[in-house]
Amino acid sequence: MAESNSRQEPPLHVVVFPWLAFGHIVPFLELAEQLARRGHFVTFVSAPRNIARLRPPVPGRELSPRIRLVALPLPAVDGLPDGAESTADVPPDKVELLKLAFDGLAGPAASFLAEACAAGGEGHGRRPDWIILDFAHSWLPPVAEQHEVPCALFLIFPVPYVAFLGPRAANDAHPRTAAEDFTVPPPWIPSPPPYSSSLAFHLHEARPMARRFRHRQPNASGISDIDRFWETERRCRLLVCRSSREVDGPAICDLLPDLYGKPVLPSGLLAPYAAAAAAHHGAGAGADGDDDEAVMRWLDAQPARSVLYVAFGSEAPLTPELVREVALGLELAGVRFLWALRGAAGGGGAGLLPAGFERRVAGRGVVRVGWAPQVLVLAHAAAGAFMTHAGWSSLVEGLLLGHPLVMLPLVGDQGLTARLMAARGVGLEVPRGAGDGS
């Protein structure tokens, strides 16, 4: 018996396969690194350009042998730009075409899994023990079941939003069809958890939610996003949420297993690794690397904790009106700021700024058109606060690097999440008209 107890279980081989958005890819990679750090072998799957854009594992030499990157080429789809492999490569109205292309990976993924399950080696040569997948993979669990490989659904959203969505059965029993149904907590949350008054959307946020739930109209991929999520969740043996009981509270965390009828595991917040980001940044080259160096040199010249970093993520829709309003607000506020401004719907970058804006804020404000090394910026001594769209990955980075949050939610779960974070006292939500979002 003593000999049996001293025997260690062999490390697992886990396949990790995120949806094609860097807001999903990055936390999936952080989860992969946590698994590798615990001695398991991970095969990380995505499209080729996404694989090429990943930073090295952290710390690279220690984890690299345990994390294998596998690229599955996306099929061509009419209307999808050449080389588009993530939501960062397409405007919002083309994301449904990206889902259609993503569904075209069902065949290549099945071939990859069949080959992996036929292997008889160790490490990455061992047949997969688990597949950790995303909300969009409704076609993958049936393939995995043929090979007797269990699937886990990793949801990058905070636990309260997962509870607010609810499984198909709860929504069928308590249909939500009017926008007002989403401005209150859902009926399957029986005893209000802490911050329950924040577990609701404003009316302007609730209208698109109601449309998604009421109509559930298929997009170009032939299935609506909510049906895609429900079907994927139904076929997975367990859920993993990017959460912790310390942040979300035991009441809402303990609700999920009963609500979804399966185990629900917290992954933790999956902290960003600023030191590793700095090392990778230092190895960068080319135009983006030069621009990043200029950004960091500007930060080096600013007083400690004096700069407001402004960024609105990779997917949240930016309208020309919103860009102009934010610019004028920054100008009136008189604060030092660094704004990572990506292209907006209907236009691109700096062309949407008010006339003369950059001249008027010169010396105290910098607009970086495109991407900035976000973790590196937030880890810099000059950074003092973070204005964000309240995407969960960005909030986690700001929170764990110790910054007050200025939250301007734009889409999806962001309004609910911003309200919960404001209720916890870690930031403020930018006031907007509840009815029209102005």
Side-chain angles (χ1 to χ4, degrees), residues 385-388 395 398-399 403-408 417-430:
F386 183 17
M387 184 174 187
T388 169
L395 288 181
L399 178 69
H403 294 300
L405 304 168
V406 181
M407 296 171 287
L408 180 62
T417 306
R419 242 134 278 149
L420 290 168
M421 297 302 278
R424 294 179 179 115
V426 298
L428 299 173
E429 183 180 354
V430 174

Side-chain angles (χ1 to χ4, degrees), residues 117-133:
C117 288
E122 298 296 323
H124 294 110
R126 169 178 171 157
R127 66 176 314 210
D129 296 284
W130 282 91
I131 300 174
I132 299 178
L133 44 75

Side-chain angles (χ1 to χ4, degrees), residues 229-284:
F229 160 63
W230 282 336
E231 180 60 17
T232 306
E233 177 272 317
R234 184 180 71 84
R235 305 292 287 262
C236 288
R237 290 197 192 175
L238 64 89
L239 302 183
V240 182
C241 292
R242 188 181 186 183
S243 67
S244 72
R245 294 174 69 85
E246 292 82 1
V247 170
D248 292 310
I252 196 74
C253 290
D254 292 343
L255 169 69
L256 285 191
D258 288 338
L259 180 61
Y260 281 90
K262 63 189 65 179
V264 180
L265 304 179
S267 69
L269 297 184
L270 302 175
Y273 290 88
H280 177 47
H281 162 75

Side-chain angles (χ1 to χ4, degrees), residues 96 99 168 176 207-230:
E96 61 179 312
K99 290 189 174 79
R168 188 195 300 269
R176 293 179 287 180
R207 291 190 185 104
M209 293 285 294
R211 285 194 294 271
R212 289 190 204 106
F213 277 74
R214 182 171 62 243
H215 300 301
R216 285 159 54 180
Q217 291 180 344
N219 54 39
S221 69
I223 182 173
S224 69
D225 284 350
I226 190 64
D227 283 311
R228 188 184 285 269
F229 160 63
W230 282 336

Side-chain angles (χ1 to χ4, degrees), residues 12-16 35 40-44 128-132:
L12 300 174
H13 176 201
V14 182
V15 175
V16 175
L35 292 169
H40 303 297
F41 291 89
V42 180
T43 297
F44 190 94
D129 296 284
W130 282 91
I131 300 174
I132 299 178

Side-chain angles (χ1 to χ4, degrees), residues 316-406:
L318 296 181
T319 64
E321 293 77 17
L322 183 137
V323 171
R324 286 193 291 271
E325 289 289 332
V326 170
L328 294 172
L330 291 171
E331 184 176 350
L332 288 169
V335 296
R336 288 182 173 88
F337 67 88
L338 169 62
W339 186 359
L341 175 59
R342 59 180 174 81
L352 300 176
L353 295 171
F357 171 75
E358 291 182 276
R359 173 181 51 79
R360 294 192 299 273
V361 300
R364 69 171 177 88
V366 170
V367 178
R368 163 72 187 272
V369 177
W371 302 104
Q374 180 159 297
V375 173
L376 204 59
V377 170
L378 290 172
H380 196 283
F386 183 17
M387 184 174 187
T388 169
H389 63 307
W392 190 227
S393 289
S394 289
L395 288 181
V396 165
E397 290 171 0
L399 178 69
L400 295 180
L401 288 168
H403 294 300
L405 304 168
V406 181

Side-chain angles (χ1 to χ4, degrees), residues 161-188:
Y161 182 65
V162 177
F164 191 95
L165 284 179
R168 188 195 300 269
N171 281 273
D172 287 345
H174 304 279
R176 293 179 287 180
T177 58
E180 288 75 12
D181 295 334
F182 295 86
T183 63
V184 295
W188 50 81

